[in-house]
Amino acid sequence: MGCMEATEMQEFSKQMKEGGESLTSISLAISILAVLVAMVTVLGHRSHTEAVLAQSKAGDQWSLYEAKKIRQENLMVTVDVLQLQATVDAKATAAKLAEYRAHIAKWDQDLKDEQKTADDYENEVTLAEARAVRFDLGEALLQISVVLSSITLFTRRRSFFVVGLLLGATGLVVAASAWLVR
């Protein structure tokens, strides 16, 4: 092994200096990608939480619907029984029947409202889950982009960095598309 000549030393020094600036830029890009991963992760978690909460509300709403439906059906049976039964006070029985029928009619509208509300909550679940899927995919692509870009620091091959940036950009587009889900 011989000693490096002065021109070789200057050339090597120049390459190291240029490489250092390049590595600083790559490191900065990796840091930005990591921040984007964190942001998309939070958005994905929020979408999953939104889906769970909406599912809980839908379940509660369907329980309320079922409770009112059961009460309505019980009252309908009571009306049938009162109509078939001999009565001591026909006027009082007729008044009670009218009262029960009014409750049944009101519950008909209430049941339609409860069903619509439950359906709306279920639509929120579907929407939140669709958004969460896009955030999750965007997050995964961004994470892969961080890893590929980091490999550049070890291998000094810019191709990893370019592919990492392309995946990162794709991940951002996929994550941003979550807001287009309607």
Side-chain angles (χ1 to χ4, degrees), residues 62-152:
W62 283 118
S63 293
L64 180 61
Y65 173 89
E66 287 298 320
K68 285 186 177 183
K69 183 77 173 158
I70 290 168
R71 279 185 258 152
Q72 181 189 39
E73 288 172 359
N74 285 342
L75 198 53
M76 290 167 81
V77 169
T78 301
V79 166
D80 288 344
V81 169
L82 280 176
Q83 287 176 328
L84 296 173
Q85 201 171 26
T87 181
V88 179
D89 186 349
K91 190 175 180 183
T93 300
K96 198 46 106 173
L97 285 170
E99 178 186 333
Y100 289 165
R101 285 186 180 117
H103 279 300
I104 291 169
K106 181 190 177 305
W107 282 336
D108 276 339
Q109 185 56 48
D110 285 355
L111 288 171
K112 288 176 189 170
D113 294 343
E114 301 300 341
Q115 183 175 8
K116 183 188 179 323
T117 302
D119 287 339
D120 289 345
Y121 285 136
E122 286 181 349
N123 289 336
E124 283 181 36
V125 171
T126 302
L127 181 66
E129 287 176 345
R131 285 183 178 152
V133 165
R134 290 185 185 210
F135 284 130
D136 290 346
L137 179 57
E139 176 189 354
L141 291 171
L142 281 164
Q143 286 178 349
I144 293 167
S145 77
V146 168
V147 171
L148 285 176
S149 298
S150 297
I151 291 172
T152 305

